[in-house]
């Protein structure tokens, strides 16, 4: 079992930056991938960034490429999402998720094994 706890959300003006953190607890050594997802009001949840924990390969949603960076600190069992040049359309609840199944570690797939409770990001114009 794995527990994920997000933090770092908040309100920022357009052009600003935020860094989200996701602390993982439990059998984290079993994880194949970890990622960040978001859901805006009235919209479907979407994958923002995915990291394959063993090799460090990353994948990003086209609209965040060049602005967001996903990274991990293995010593702290923590996943990060550095978000720069934020836009109002980035406003959403952001979730951390993880899976130990390689079949579920595909860009855009939402069927991961573990999810955090979410942290709100609000970007004003």
């Amino acid at each position: 079992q794995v527990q994920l706890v997000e933090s770092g959300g908040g309100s920022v003006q357009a052009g600003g930056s935020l860094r989200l953190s996701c602390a993982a607890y439990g059998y984290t050594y079993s994880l194949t991938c970890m990622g960040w997802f978001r859901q805006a009001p009235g919209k479907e949840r979407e994958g923002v960034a995915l990291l394959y924990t063993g090799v460090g390969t990353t994948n990003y949603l086209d609209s965040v490429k060049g602005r967001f960076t996903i990274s991990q600190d293995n010593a702290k069992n923590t996943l990060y999402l550095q978000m720069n040049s934020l836009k109002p359309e980035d406003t959403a609840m952001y979730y951390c998720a993880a899976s130990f199944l390689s079949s579920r570690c595909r860009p855009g797939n939402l069927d991961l094994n573990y999810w955090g409770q979410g942290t709100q990001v609000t970007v004003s114009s």
Side-chain angles (χ1 to χ4, degrees), residues 21-113:
S21 299
C22 172
Y25 303 92
Y27 294 102
T28 58
Y29 63 87
S30 67
L31 297 176
T32 299
C33 67
M34 297 184 73
W36 289 98
F37 299 77
R38 68 186 181 187
Q39 187 165 19
K43 294 188 177 181
E44 294 184 351
R45 190 171 297 189
E46 62 181 355
V48 175
L50 190 68
L51 182 147
Y52 297 87
T53 56
V55 296
T57 306
T58 59
N59 185 276
Y60 295 93
L61 182 69
D62 284 345
S63 62
V64 308
K65 286 180 180 178
R67 300 189 298 122
F68 291 10
T69 302
I70 188 172
S71 62
Q72 62 179 347
D73 184 330
N74 291 327
K76 297 181 179 179
N77 286 331
T78 300
L79 183 75
Y80 300 101
L81 184 68
Q82 178 67 44
M83 304 186 294
N84 299 328
S85 302
L86 282 162
K87 304 176 181 180
E89 51 263 44
D90 294 318
T91 295
M93 183 71 79
Y94 282 71
Y95 298 89
C96 174
S99 180
F100 55 85
L101 294 172
S102 58
S103 60
R104 299 190 182 184
C105 292
R106 294 175 283 108
N109 182 44
L110 302 179
D111 187 23
L112 275 70
N113 300 99

